[in-house]
């Protein structure tokens, strides 16, 4: 499954039990041996979970959220213009983030199982632990407490997988500290096509990845 430049696709973050937790949509920048590069502009539509009263659940523990009644609600991607690179077979994606004034804010390393491609986009199983790398060389881990809390729970990952996640993060941290690829300035001059507007959530956002009743023409905005 190779996507074309400018094509609108979704990036769905799956809950551990297989439900769709949240959805981003963006435009394909490239899809080649470097990986799948996706542009998600400020104001692009997103799907996020809310509780029965319409309150966002993103700040809750995921263990709490999984045992609540929640529904999807349209939201928007804020506050950064973001280029997401998903290298082939990698257990991470790397996000370049720019403020709306054009200043580069840093890299966000999302640790995740390798993406699963389908006709409408990609599905992602997030592994909670993330790495933030700042333009001045500073760095910090994100969500370490939640990562430790979920490790060993039957809905998430065991100690062996957790060790692999941490090792992947440490490997990328070593690259960042050495200013080595992909933290070596590549993609820093990226500019989206001027005709690209913030993306609207496509109608196939919740389609099961293994659905076979639709042809390529269905996946057109």
């Amino acid at each position: 499954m190779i996507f074309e430049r400018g094509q609108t696709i979704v990036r769905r973050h799956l809950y551990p039990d297989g439900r769709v937790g949240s959805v981003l949509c963006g435009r394909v920048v490239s899809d080649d041996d470097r990986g799948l590069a996706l542009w998600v502009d400020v104001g692009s539509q997103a799907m996020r979970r809310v509780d029965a009263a319409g309150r966002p659940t993103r700040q809750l523990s995921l263990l709490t959220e999984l045992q609540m009644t929640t529904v999807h609600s349209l939201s928007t991607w804020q506050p950064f213009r973001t280029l997401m690179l998903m290298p082939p077979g990698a257990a991470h994606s790397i996000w370049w983030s720019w403020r709306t004034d054009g200043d580069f804010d840093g890299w966000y390393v999302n640790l995740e199982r390798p993406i699963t491609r389908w006709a409408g986009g990609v599905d992602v199983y997030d592994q909670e632990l993330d790495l933030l790398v700042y333009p001045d060389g500073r760095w910090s881990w994100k969500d370490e407490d939640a990562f430790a809390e979920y490790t060993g729970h039957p809905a998430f990952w065991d100690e062996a997988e957790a060790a692999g996640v941490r090792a992947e993060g440490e490997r990328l941290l070593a690259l960042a500290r050495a200013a080595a690829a992909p933290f070596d300035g590549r993609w820093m001059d990226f500019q989206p096509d001027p005709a690209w507007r913030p993306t609207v959530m496509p109608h196939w956002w919740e389609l099961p990845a293994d659905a076979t009743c639709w042809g390529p023409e269905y996946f057109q905005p």
Side-chain angles (χ1 to χ4, degrees):
M1 184 68 64
I2 301 297
F3 300 111
E4 297 181 0
R5 179 176 171 84
Q7 182 177 350
T8 295
I9 64 171
V10 296
R11 176 181 156 101
R12 304 192 296 197
H13 287 238
L14 304 184
Y15 280 157
D17 57 14
R19 286 179 289 169
V20 176
S22 62
V23 187
L24 304 176
C25 63
R27 297 184 189 276
V28 174
V29 174
S30 58
D31 191 10
D32 51 33
D33 57 1
R34 298 171 298 176
L36 171 61
L38 183 67
W39 175 249
V40 183
D41 207 348
V42 166
S44 293
Q45 289 186 332
M47 283 287 187
R48 299 198 182 278
R49 292 269 181 175
V50 298
D51 66 16
R55 295 178 297 241
T57 59
R58 190 178 182 187
Q59 301 307 316
L60 298 176
S61 162
L62 185 52
L63 277 173
T64 299
E65 191 176 356
L66 288 171
Q67 299 174 82
M68 293 172 53
T69 297
T70 62
V71 295
H72 286 106
S73 177
L74 268 176
S75 179
T76 55
W77 181 252
Q78 302 286 350
F80 300 117
R81 310 185 79 195
T82 306
L83 178 69
M84 301 178 177
L85 179 66
M86 295 157 267
H92 70 270
S93 59
I94 299 181
W95 306 3
W96 284 253
S97 300
W98 290 268
R99 301 186 188 97
T100 53
D101 62 7
D103 287 347
F104 181 62
D105 195 74
W107 297 267
Y108 187 102
V109 180
N110 199 70
L111 297 169
E112 60 196 37
R113 292 176 184 167
I115 61 171
T116 300
R117 292 171 178 252
W118 59 287
V122 297
D123 287 347
V124 180
Y125 184 98
D126 188 82
Q127 294 172 310
E128 196 63 27
L129 186 64
D130 302 307
L131 174 64
L132 305 179
V133 181
Y134 305 99
D136 61 4
R138 291 178 300 117
W139 56 271
S140 63
W141 295 106
K142 181 176 179 291
D143 296 329
E144 282 190 292
D145 290 345
F147 176 66
E149 177 188 2
Y150 302 160
T151 297
H153 190 284
F156 292 91
W157 42 78
D158 58 19
E159 294 283 353
E161 183 172 354
V165 174
R166 175 67 74 171
E168 179 74 349
E170 294 285 357
R171 184 182 71 83
L172 289 158
L173 174 57
L175 294 175
R177 296 179 73 174
F183 307 99
D184 58 351
R186 63 187 62 198
W187 292 105
M188 295 291 291
D189 59 351
F190 171 76
Q191 293 292 327
D193 188 314
W196 289 358
R197 303 270 70 84
T199 40
V200 175
M201 186 61 60
H203 55 265
W204 61 83
W205 69 269
E206 61 178 341
L207 186 72
D210 58 357
T212 58
C213 58
W214 300 106
E217 68 284 351
Y218 180 77
F219 300 96
Q220 300 297 323

